[in-house]
Amino acid sequence: MPEVRIIAKNFMDMVASMPAMKLDKLYQNAFICEAILRSLPPLAKKYVLQLLHIDGPVSAKLLAEWVLPDGLSKHKVAVDRLVQLRVFVEALDSGTLPRESMPSNITVRLPTLEDLETYALEQWERFLLQLISPSHVDKTLNISSSLMKVFQQRLLSQRDREAPKLTESGFQFLLMDTNAQLWYIIREYISNSEERGVDAGDLISFMLELSFHVIGEAYNINTLTDFQRNIIKDLADLGLVKLQQGRKESWFIPTKLATNLSVSMTESSSRKEGFVVVETNFRVYAYSTSKLHCEMLRLFSRVEYQLPNLIVGAITKESLYNAFENGITADQIVSFFRQNAHPRVAQRIPAVPENVTDQIRLWESDLNRVEMTEAYYYDEFPSRDVFEGACDCAREWNGLLWEDSKKMHLVVKSE
């Protein structure tokens, strides 16, 4: 038993010495949690079990009142161990919570919530158009070219003397809903922060703080640090905040996109009003004024003409083959039509005609009837024994694709 205790102690010492991020990741495993709980001193174990029934943080002063004066030494040992294992972590000071909004007598012309939501969606669509089709953007964003390349590197590919084209990931990104797109871009923005000389931890802290601000309220830009002022400009281009200038003061106003950063995609996703009608004759009518919607429809349909508030197109075999070759699947196209169905057809079952969805899947299966497999072709074997030995070896490694025993020809997988 002493040897077992020593091994367990050494193991927990090793766990306690791990970097914070790796240690936090370990706590995702239930067995690790139970092992650490068992290794704790009795008083530390009691603290953990007692705190499970308390909502919210507990101050160190209150925790010290749980023990008698003669037990303070054991209390210190227990707390130190819990801090070492990151079971206890220091909570944020209340001063770091969202800043106070500006009084209404200083701010003027604040947008309504409806206007703010319209602004946020317009900025987000302009940003997406800047990513995929800069020539269709009526107003260039202020995001630096180096930062724009960070967003484009996984969404676009470019060959010599050719215009950039969407990658498979890029097509799939466009078919996501707005909240999923936002999370993708923010992850890229954070993961590449070190290359721009920005501390990722500071960036995450500021963005999470921003997500707890009130939508539509004005917050003084002078309360931000220089680092935060640079970040807020990028976030304004993305539509997360709106910047305004008064006579003496300037301020930023969080939009709904900013508040979605503090909740999961499932919680933040909401049913938006659709705009697409698909008919049994494969005609597509999109009731939208958005240039982005028009560019998205071009991905898998032939856009015939566009009116101020209506886009008319057709689903053709050629337009779908082009989409399939660029990585878009039939299920993604059908899902797009269903998720964006116009209210007049959204209540129908099905919202998209069955003959259309079936034909889209059939055209995809036609394209996938032939599969390409890299292979090597062998002939001119010196003897039949060598040929049969090569065939046996290929079968053993599950690499034999074809053989002609009479002519002694052989085709095997390239790997």
Side-chain angles (χ1 to χ4, degrees):
M1 286 297 291
E3 291 181 1
V4 174
R5 289 176 181 172
I6 291 172
I7 293 172
K9 183 178 184 299
N10 291 338
F11 174 75
M12 289 306 159
D13 288 341
M14 182 181 68
V15 170
S17 64
M18 294 177 66
M21 291 183 66
K22 291 186 177 180
L23 182 54
D24 291 344
K25 190 175 181 180
L26 281 180
Y27 284 120
Q28 297 176 11
N29 188 306
F31 297 105
I32 293 290
C33 294
E34 186 173 350
I36 289 177
L37 180 63
R38 289 181 178 181
S39 72
L40 294 174
L43 190 57
K45 204 176 296 183
K46 175 178 172 62
Y47 287 160
V48 172
L49 295 175
Q50 197 161 333
L51 288 170
L52 288 175
H53 303 282
I54 299 177
D55 293 328
V58 175
S59 66
K61 182 180 178 181
L62 177 61
L63 199 64
E65 294 176 357
W66 289 1
V67 294
L68 297 173
D70 59 352
L72 287 178
S73 60
K74 292 182 179 180
H75 168 77
K76 187 177 184 306
V77 171
V79 171
D80 288 346
R81 190 59 172 170
L82 291 171
V83 171
Q84 194 179 29
L85 290 167
R86 288 184 59 78
V87 177
F88 281 179
V89 292
E90 186 177 358
L92 289 173
D93 184 80
S94 58
T96 63
L97 293 176
R99 62 201 83 239
E100 293 289 332
S101 58
M102 298 176 68
S104 57
N105 61 336
I106 297 179
T107 58
V108 291
R109 306 185 309 277
L110 289 184
T112 64
L113 293 180
E114 291 79 10
D115 292 340
L116 198 61
E117 184 168 1
T118 300
Y119 159 82
L121 292 178
E122 287 178 351
Q123 284 294 106
W124 186 251
E125 287 194 1
R126 188 178 290 119
F127 167 68
L128 295 181
L129 273 175
Q130 181 80 10
L131 279 177
I132 64 172
S133 184
S135 60
H136 289 83
V137 182
D138 53 359
K139 178 183 176 183
T140 304
L141 297 175
N142 295 322
I143 296 178
S144 65
S145 58
S146 60
L147 188 56
M148 188 62 71
K149 287 179 181 177
V150 168
F151 297 139
Q152 291 176 331
Q153 64 184 2
R154 292 191 182 180
L155 304 178
L156 296 178
S157 63
Q158 185 175 13
R159 296 180 179 178
D160 295 338
R161 299 180 182 179
E162 290 186 4
K165 293 184 179 180
L166 282 169
T167 62
E168 181 177 346
S169 299
F171 281 105
Q172 294 174 355
F173 169 79
L174 282 183
L175 297 179
M176 296 177 185
D177 61 38
T178 301
N179 289 313
Q181 290 174 339
L182 174 64
W183 276 102
Y184 178 92
I185 291 297
I186 292 301
R187 283 198 302 268
E188 291 295 305
Y189 188 68
I190 293 172
S191 63
N192 291 277
S193 59
E194 301 291 346
E195 298 176 10
R196 308 191 307 274
V198 176
D199 183 84
D202 293 340
L203 179 57
I204 293 172
S205 297
F206 177 58
M207 297 187 80
L208 284 177
E209 177 192 345
L210 182 67
S211 70
F212 285 97
H213 286 63
V214 180
I215 301 175
E217 294 287 333
Y219 297 89
N220 198 324
I221 288 183
N222 290 332
T223 61
L224 302 178
T225 64
D226 291 340
F227 154 76
Q228 292 171 340
R229 290 182 189 182
N230 291 330
I231 299 302
I232 210 75
K233 292 176 183 177
D234 287 339
L235 299 184
D237 280 331
L238 296 176
L240 275 71
V241 297
K242 182 177 177 63
L243 302 180
Q244 283 191 335
Q245 176 70 49
R247 290 183 178 180
K248 297 182 179 180
E249 304 284 355
S250 55
W251 53 86
F252 65 91
I253 307 167
T255 69
K256 189 176 181 180
L257 290 179
T259 60
N260 284 348
L261 295 176
S262 62
V263 297
S264 67
M265 284 192 293
T266 304
E267 292 171 331
S268 62
S269 60
S270 58
R271 171 70 181 178
K272 58 183 178 182
E273 187 172 288
F275 59 95
V276 179
V277 175
V278 181
E279 295 189 339
T280 55
N281 60 358
F282 294 82
R283 303 284 290 180
V284 178
Y285 299 92
Y287 295 88
S288 173
T289 60
S290 169
K291 293 181 180 178
L292 179 64
H293 289 163
C294 183
E295 292 304 307
M296 291 178 67
L297 288 172
R298 289 187 197 277
L299 300 179
F300 41 77
S301 65
R302 185 185 67 224
V303 175
E304 298 178 343
Y305 54 89
Q306 184 176 6
L307 301 177
N309 63 342
L310 177 66
I311 305 165
V312 180
I315 302 171
T316 66
K317 185 176 183 179
E318 292 73 20
S319 66
L320 287 176
Y321 271 24
N322 184 56
F324 297 149
E325 289 172 359
N326 284 290
I328 302 180
T329 66
D331 286 339
Q332 287 175 329
I333 296 171
V334 172
S335 177
F336 172 83
F337 286 139
R338 286 174 177 167
Q339 291 176 4
N340 295 281
H342 191 278
R344 290 196 175 183
V345 298
Q347 304 303 321
R348 297 180 188 171
I349 300 177
V352 183
E354 287 186 342
N355 71 305
V356 175
T357 58
D358 290 345
Q359 187 61 63
I360 291 174
R361 293 190 172 98
L362 282 173
W363 278 331
E364 182 185 46
S365 63
D366 285 345
L367 196 65
N368 296 332
R369 281 187 299 178
V370 177
E371 293 185 3
M372 301 294 292
T373 302
E374 291 188 7
Y376 287 107
Y377 171 76
Y378 295 97
D379 61 357
E380 299 183 2
F381 286 89
S383 68
R384 181 161 296 278
D385 290 340
V386 174
F387 169 75
E388 292 178 352
C391 291
D392 292 340
C393 182
R395 289 192 192 94
E396 182 180 347
W397 287 90
N398 195 28
L400 181 63
L401 293 176
W402 174 82
E403 65 174 305
D404 185 336
S405 59
K406 291 182 179 180
K407 296 181 179 180
M408 293 195 297
H409 294 173
L410 175 67
V411 176
V412 299
K413 296 179 181 177
S414 61
E415 66 266 21

